[in-house]
Amino acid sequence: MAEGQIRQSLSGFYDVMTDSGTLVRTRARGNFRNRKITPLVGDRVVIDAPNDHEGYILEVKPRHNSLVRPPVANVDQAIVATAVREPVFSTNLLDRQLLALEIADIEPVIYLTKTDLLTAVEQDEFAKWAADYRKIGYHVVYTAEPFSAAAIQEVDDLLTGKVSVIMGQTGAGKSTLLNHVAPDLKLETGEISASLHRGKHTTRRVQLLEVAGGLIADTPGFSSYDTFSLDARDLGKYFREFRRASVNCRFRGCVHVNEPGCAVKALVDSGDILQSRYDNYLLLYQALKNQKPNYRKSEK
């Protein structure tokens, strides 16, 4: 038996990179289906491999997190491609994306695209906006030229040693960013790992590729969001600046809406918390209050 990481899935086959550096094509044992466990790219697994070409997955190790699109597990960070124009820049959409990542315990990186469409005045405005989100605690990549050498180098540095995905709204430039970071990904189909000698497939695969000293999903990340399964009272925990400020709220369990002595609202009034962030929080809070709670536990 050996342990390793699933690097690729395709038509029921899973290519596992073992800890010893051998790439093995495997299939999952039949009892996985009965237990409603689907191995995902990024999973740590135990395999039985009688040779270095084929084997079976015996166990999927507990996951730190997982995504639906792309179906990848144990993701460290998501690079959120965010257009400043075409489509129109939306703090509400961005804050929803950040919330989804905070809930999944995935570190967000905000990458501003289409910045070459901005006027000089707008460039200054977005420079301040980027500084405000950095103050919250987010890494923001912003240059006047959207895919400048400096910006791509910054992303390369962030990728080192991590499992990453790229996500963003349709048309935000996530595919373009992915191709700048890893030009070889422009090939949509082709040979499955040459070392496996399995020939060609046309079925869409999910794969983690070695890029800049890390691993990155070869497909753009998710771009739409289902209703969050979250108690409205817990929402503030996933807004970083709210979480920090809430220790000074007068009442324990303050949800930062109507309570007196709310430290979050005081910081909004003073300009230390962005009004747009608070407005988006209120919209999300109301939406969560109006929906039926869903407390289903995530599957392994």
Side-chain angles (χ1 to χ4, degrees), residues 259 262-275 278-279:
E259 303 89 337
C262 174
V264 170
K265 290 192 294 182
L267 290 178
V268 174
D269 291 340
S270 68
D272 292 305
I273 286 180
L274 293 175
Q275 184 68 50
Y278 185 66
D279 291 344

Side-chain angles (χ1 to χ4, degrees), residues 147-165:
F147 302 108
S148 66
I152 299 304
Q153 183 59 57
E154 190 172 347
V155 173
D156 284 349
D157 293 341
L158 290 167
L159 294 176
T160 302
K162 296 178 181 177
V163 175
S164 305
V165 297

Side-chain angles (χ1 to χ4, degrees), residues 2 11 22 39 59 61-62 114 119 128 148 157 235 242 245 249 261-262 277 285 298 300:
S11 302
T22 302
E59 178 186 354
K61 295 288 187 177
K114 303 189 179 181
T119 65
K128 183 181 184 306
S148 66
D157 293 341
L235 179 61
F242 290 28
C249 289
C262 174
R277 286 276 287 178
Y285 177 82
S298 60
K300 184 178 181 183

